[in-house]
Amino acid sequence: MLASEAAMTKSYLTTSTGSKAKVHRRKHAIPVIKHIAKDNDQEKQEVLTKPIELSRVIHFLEDPLAATLKERQIFALKKVVKRCQKGFLLKELADVFKILYICAEKSKDHPEYTSVLCDLLKICRLPFLKEKTSDEVTYAQTVKESFSQMGFLMRVPNAEVRNQICHSIISVYSSVTSKHSVDGLHPTSLGYRVQLLEQSGLAETLVLSMALLENQPAVKLQVLQTLQMLSSSSDVNCSLILKAQGAQQICFHMNEPDPSGQVLFRSSEILWNLLERGCKEEVTAQLSNMDCIMALKEAFLHQLLNGFRHYDFQLRNDLLVITTLIAENPKSPLIESLFAKQLILFVTFPELKSHNPLVRNLKLSYNNEDFEMKRLLLNLVVVMSKDLSALQLFKEGHVVLALLHLVKPTAAPPEGQSGPRNWTPVQQEELQLQALATLATVAPLMLDDYMICQGNTCLLLLLEWCTERDAYFGQGHSFHGTGGRGSKKAQMRYCVRLLRSMVSLGNEAINQDLFDQGAISQLLVIIMQMEGSPEEEDVITLEIKADIQLILSALCENNPHRKELFGSEGVEMTVHFLKMSTEKFYSGLGHNKLILSTVDCVWSCIVGCYTTEDVFLEKEGIFLLLDLLHSSPRNMQNVVLGTLLELCDNPKTMSHILAWRGQKSLTTPGLLLQLWRQEEAELGVSRDLYGRISDPKKPILCYYQEEEDSQVSLPANRPSAAVMDVSENLRSKIYSVFCKLGFEALPGLSTEDYITLSIVTRYLDFKVGEVWDEISKELSLEGVRPVTPDEEALDTIAKMTEDTARRVITQQSSMLEQRDKEDVSEEKRMYTEIRSNWKQQELTAQSWEHFVAKTSNYKILKETKEHQERSIDSSRPKPKHKEAIFHPTQIHGLQITKFCGRVMTVESTPAHLTGGPLANTELALERVPIQGGALRKLPTATEDPEYFNTVSVK
């Protein structure tokens, strides 16, 4: 019998016909005595000296005739194990895993195969070997299927086999590939193995195999460790785990008895990895069921109440983070499981005392982990506030009171005395800031609790503390403390933000309470102190200023009494910020928001109260608004112009508006018309080259109104495009301002401005026509035919609008013609002036040439001298004629009058002319001779009479 078994074994080990081998028996003619004569050890030695092929081993294991040769099969398998000690070849990997599969099947009935199976799986820890570089591509599918088969081997009920599979998988990620070749073979790269392992779906198989490990806690822990490794470094593995409902399965079993204490830790780490690298929504959806919530609740409470190690505190916080992420899912039964109520109890601990058994004996060590848990609990409150059903739990748990308690500044104990153990100053600061941020979300939802707890008083006291100068030194390390290092700026930032959230609700009780406590004056003092501070402006400072102005606007809006108390101090504040340089709009720090809040403050706190309006006008506020309107960006002009329009109701405003002058003597009407043209260009209104109406049927129609013309009929609760156009652009506001200013006798307008003004004047008529046109189109879209009188009325209105547009076009054309005539006249005048200037230049040139000629040509000089002498002679008086009659110049008595060196003698008129006694009149004029260009002394009466000229008067 032994001889026959040996002969059969040898025949199977030395015969191969490929993948489908046939069984050949040796004929009895072949002697087998030599094999019988040899002992067992000698035969084994002979077999080991010959090379072995895996395909023969597979044939030997699958041969039904060799089913009873268990020892020989195990012997052959051990030889395979010894041969592959350095790793499996890629080309032999398919045969290797076929052998593994056969061994797994045989191990069900014969446990002896289990050890060989473990030995082969142990070799899988080593990198696979390749003979050529192309082997990685050639055998990629084989490697992927091999990894998949490794996962399927988890069905083997043996714990050692399952552990070995997990160790082999972990080694794929942790083993370091050697760069040195082994007998001419090279190991595959780590990235190659990891990529194919991901594609094999092994992670999903491991999750499904956990259902087989109920009675093997050690193996389950090993599987969790493997899943932790797979999920920590691969998004693909995380997706596969979630595909197999891995998050839910892991959460179900995280509280099972575990002597090692690692199951909960491994489970939480896997959940963390799934949340970070996988789909967070999918993870929270799988955990949002009652069983998972109860499991998390049990684990958290156990760690909170019984944990004492640093490791326990960290695990507790990790579970709290997972719970917070689950709370973001509105479908999670966090409240129904009563877990939320217990968490709210821990939120208010230790600020509020409670007799609940959960916190009666709970003590915090105030270390970093407890501090982190407190911050996570505050964050959980913000997340849960999105669910309105949680507000009742907040009310029962007095969450607002606990948060206000955290907000109050804590006084340091006197020197030499140690207070009760509490948070450190740095921790207290961060909790204070986070409590303020939490209240900004929770307090607007719980107004009754906020008022009962006197939230306004608490915040105003905190603001007063922020403005005090003391030895407080802010750390500013946390997210909420950004920019507040060394000061109380961070506290002021979140306090003002919280107040802004409260007053923006429009609750009259809250606003009245703030007003009664002097919030307006306190905020004005704070903002002016910040403005006068020598510190450089930053983002946080500008945010605080803008929020304070928004608070003031919300308090004073629609309340004349509060506007009056806003007073001159408030006006001074707004004027100061309106003087801000427009260059700061684009600084990126938030000056644009600050100027917008300032304009809103003018609109809400000044407009509507004549006392503050008059002070604003005295401070040249209108000029500042017009400067801002001129230089501000496009998106700010609507607000500024709206504020200016509201101020136009004050009769004193008109003179300020007309007196304003901008760059290049730009007037307010010119600025408004310029804005009108810019608005129409942006809206795509049809205009010709000169700004005239190009289409009388669409005088002011925008491009988006034309796009909506072909659409379906609008519902009754939706305004039409023509109505929306009134509120969405500047044209209606510009028209309203001109209605206040008037449309005639406006200063500083050009012909282009008058052309635009002709359109502005008819804006209301054109807009009414647009509305009626929309009504007509709406009726046609709905298939409604108006009655004949109504149809005629619609046609008449449309024709009137078109005729108005044509009259405006005619008026605009006449303006252009008049401008052309004026241009021609101006051009002629200019050319006349140019001609005169050239003539004068020619005369000057000729004079200079004549002067130069006199100095260089004696003949010309002589002629000039002669001409000069003749001129002098001709200017001298001629001698009197002998028969000339000299008339005295005395009228009714001799009178001599001297004017500027001339003497006039007047005698009375002769009697025969006037009927008087005097018979003649003598008039003597004294001439002043001019010689050499100088005045000479007048001659006396005794001098030569030839210097006097006689005049006969008839």
Side-chain angles (χ1 to χ4, degrees), residues 119-177:
D119 292 338
L120 290 173
L121 289 172
K122 189 175 183 180
I123 299 175
C124 290
R125 296 183 178 185
L126 302 175
F128 303 138
L129 302 175
K130 60 183 178 180
E131 296 177 331
K132 298 179 294 184
T133 305
S134 61
D135 286 350
E136 290 188 352
V137 179
T138 304
Y139 298 103
Q141 184 65 25
T142 302
V143 177
K144 184 166 61 175
E145 293 176 356
S146 300
F147 281 129
S148 180
Q149 290 294 329
M150 188 184 297
F152 292 144
L153 290 176
M154 288 294 294
R155 70 180 185 276
V156 178
N158 187 276
E160 185 179 358
V161 174
R162 290 172 173 171
N163 281 329
Q164 195 59 57
I165 293 173
C166 294
H167 288 307
S168 298
I169 296 172
I170 293 174
S171 66
V172 173
Y173 282 87
S174 59
S175 61
V176 179
T177 304

Side-chain angles (χ1 to χ4, degrees), residues 75-337:
F75 175 74
L77 291 172
K78 288 183 178 180
K79 185 176 180 180
V80 173
V81 171
K82 186 172 183 180
R83 176 199 165 191
C84 302
Q85 284 298 317
K86 296 180 180 180
F88 296 125
L89 282 171
L90 288 177
K91 67 179 182 179
E92 297 178 347
L93 206 55
D95 293 337
V96 170
F97 275 87
K98 191 170 184 180
I99 293 173
L100 287 172
Y101 179 78
I102 295 172
C103 292
E105 292 295 329
K106 290 182 176 294
S107 64
K108 298 177 182 179
D109 301 324
H110 305 284
E112 295 84 356
Y113 289 90
T114 304
S115 61
V116 181
L117 180 60
C118 292
D119 292 338
L120 290 173
L121 289 172
K122 189 175 183 180
I123 299 175
C124 290
R125 296 183 178 185
L126 302 175
F128 303 138
L129 302 175
K130 60 183 178 180
E131 296 177 331
K132 298 179 294 184
T133 305
S134 61
D135 286 350
E136 290 188 352
V137 179
T138 304
Y139 298 103
Q141 184 65 25
T142 302
V143 177
K144 184 166 61 175
E145 293 176 356
S146 300
F147 281 129
S148 180
Q149 290 294 329
M150 188 184 297
F152 292 144
L153 290 176
M154 288 294 294
R155 70 180 185 276
V156 178
N158 187 276
E160 185 179 358
V161 174
R162 290 172 173 171
N163 281 329
Q164 195 59 57
I165 293 173
C166 294
H167 288 307
S168 298
I169 296 172
I170 293 174
S171 66
V172 173
Y173 282 87
S174 59
S175 61
V176 179
T177 304
S178 176
K179 296 182 181 181
H180 301 286
S181 60
V182 181
D183 298 334
L185 303 176
H186 300 274
T188 55
S189 62
L190 177 61
Y192 174 77
R193 301 194 302 271
V194 170
Q195 182 180 4
L196 293 179
L197 188 143
E198 293 175 352
Q199 298 176 6
S200 66
L202 182 59
E204 181 180 1
T205 306
L206 288 178
V207 174
L208 297 175
S209 67
M210 291 182 64
L212 307 174
L213 308 177
E214 298 294 337
N215 300 323
Q216 296 179 347
V219 179
K220 181 181 294 186
L221 178 61
Q222 193 64 38
V223 172
L224 289 175
Q225 183 179 356
T226 307
L227 289 174
Q228 180 185 350
M229 175 67 70
L230 294 175
S231 61
S232 62
S233 57
S234 172
D235 298 348
V236 177
N237 289 334
C238 291
S239 300
L240 291 171
I241 293 173
L242 291 175
K243 183 179 179 181
Q245 300 292 314
Q248 183 176 351
Q249 294 297 326
I250 291 169
C251 190
F252 284 163
H253 304 288
M254 65 191 312
N255 293 318
E256 293 180 353
D258 174 34
S260 65
Q262 296 187 33
V263 171
L264 183 58
F265 168 74
R266 301 290 181 188
S267 301
S268 64
E269 286 295 315
I270 295 172
L271 294 177
W272 260 104
N273 295 335
L274 294 176
L275 289 168
E276 289 181 349
R277 306 187 68 92
C279 180
K280 187 176 72 172
E281 291 75 13
E282 178 65 22
V283 177
T284 54
Q286 291 186 19
L287 297 178
S288 297
N289 56 73
M290 186 62 70
D291 294 333
C292 290
I293 296 295
M294 295 303 295
L296 286 171
K297 173 183 175 182
E298 180 183 352
F300 175 78
L301 293 178
H302 176 76
Q303 295 296 321
L304 176 65
L305 302 177
N306 302 321
F308 59 92
R309 298 171 299 178
H310 185 263
Y311 161 81
D312 296 328
F313 297 154
Q314 287 183 332
L315 184 56
R316 172 199 64 191
N317 293 344
D318 290 346
L319 294 172
L320 187 56
V321 173
I322 296 173
T323 304
T324 303
L325 295 175
I326 295 174
E328 294 179 356
N329 186 3
K331 297 181 181 180
S332 62
L334 201 64
I335 298 176
E336 292 80 352
S337 64

Side-chain angles (χ1 to χ4, degrees), residues 494-751:
Y494 280 94
C495 183
V496 172
R497 182 183 295 182
L498 175 56
L499 283 173
R500 186 199 68 190
S501 300
M502 300 308 298
V503 299
S504 62
L505 298 174
N507 187 285
E508 187 59 29
I510 294 177
N511 294 351
Q512 185 63 37
D513 183 57
L514 281 172
F515 173 75
D516 293 340
Q517 298 189 50
I520 293 179
S521 59
Q522 183 178 353
L523 292 173
L524 287 174
V525 171
I526 290 174
I527 192 173
M528 294 310 294
Q529 284 181 354
M530 294 181 67
E531 189 63 19
S533 175
E535 297 181 1
E536 185 178 357
E537 287 184 329
D538 55 5
V539 177
I540 297 176
T541 303
L542 293 174
E543 180 185 343
I544 294 173
K545 294 177 183 178
D547 285 345
I548 289 177
Q549 290 181 345
L550 292 175
I551 294 171
L552 293 172
S553 300
L555 289 176
C556 297
E557 188 175 9
N558 302 324
N559 194 311
H561 178 57
R562 296 175 190 171
K563 292 181 180 181
E564 187 175 356
L565 291 180
F566 184 75
S568 59
E569 294 181 359
V571 173
E572 187 70 31
M573 182 269 295
T574 56
V575 169
H576 174 78
F577 285 106
L578 285 175
K579 293 179 180 179
M580 183 189 307
S581 175
T582 55
E583 297 178 355
K584 295 183 178 181
F585 286 166
Y586 308 99
S587 64
L589 297 178
H591 290 89
N592 53 343
K593 299 178 182 178
L594 180 59
I595 195 64
L596 275 176
S597 62
T598 304
V599 175
D600 182 65
C601 202
V602 173
W603 197 333
S604 302
C605 302
I606 295 177
V607 174
C609 178
Y610 284 138
T611 305
T612 53
E613 284 184 5
D614 291 344
V615 177
F616 185 72
L617 294 175
E618 292 175 4
K619 299 290 183 180
E620 299 182 353
I622 295 296
F623 294 163
L624 295 175
L625 285 176
L626 288 170
D627 290 338
L628 181 61
L629 180 64
H630 187 205
S631 59
S632 63
R634 170 69 183 83
N635 53 2
M636 295 178 60
Q637 291 174 346
N638 204 340
V639 180
V640 178
L641 188 58
T643 305
L644 192 64
L645 178 60
E646 292 292 333
L647 286 169
C648 288
D649 291 337
N650 192 326
K652 299 179 182 179
T653 304
M654 293 298 104
S655 59
H656 289 258
I657 291 179
L658 294 174
W660 177 83
R661 292 295 182 272
Q663 297 178 357
K664 299 180 180 180
S665 300
L666 180 66
T667 61
T668 302
L671 173 61
L672 294 176
L673 294 173
Q674 179 181 338
L675 294 176
W676 180 283
R677 289 191 292 271
Q678 293 175 359
E679 190 74 14
E680 287 193 334
E682 185 174 344
L683 294 174
V685 181
S686 178
R687 295 286 181 263
D688 64 2
L689 183 61
Y690 301 101
R692 295 177 296 181
I693 297 174
S694 59
D695 188 354
K697 295 183 178 180
K698 299 180 291 185
I700 59 173
L701 195 67
C702 305
Y703 71 92
Y704 62 85
Q705 292 178 256
E706 295 180 351
E707 292 176 356
E708 294 186 4
D709 283 346
S710 59
Q711 294 181 1
V712 296
S713 176
L714 296 176
N717 59 351
R718 179 180 171 183
S720 64
V723 177
M724 291 295 296
D725 176 72
V726 175
S727 60
E728 290 182 350
N729 58 69
L730 300 177
R731 293 191 296 180
S732 60
K733 294 183 178 62
I734 293 174
Y735 172 76
S736 301
V737 174
F738 272 108
C739 289
K740 301 286 185 180
L741 294 176
F743 296 95
E744 298 180 357
L746 297 174
L749 298 184
S750 62
T751 303

Side-chain angles (χ1 to χ4, degrees), residues 54-63 95 98-99 102:
L54 298 182
S55 58
R56 295 180 180 181
V57 177
I58 294 173
H59 300 156
F60 180 49
L61 294 176
E62 290 181 340
D63 192 351
D95 293 337
K98 191 170 184 180
I99 293 173
I102 295 172

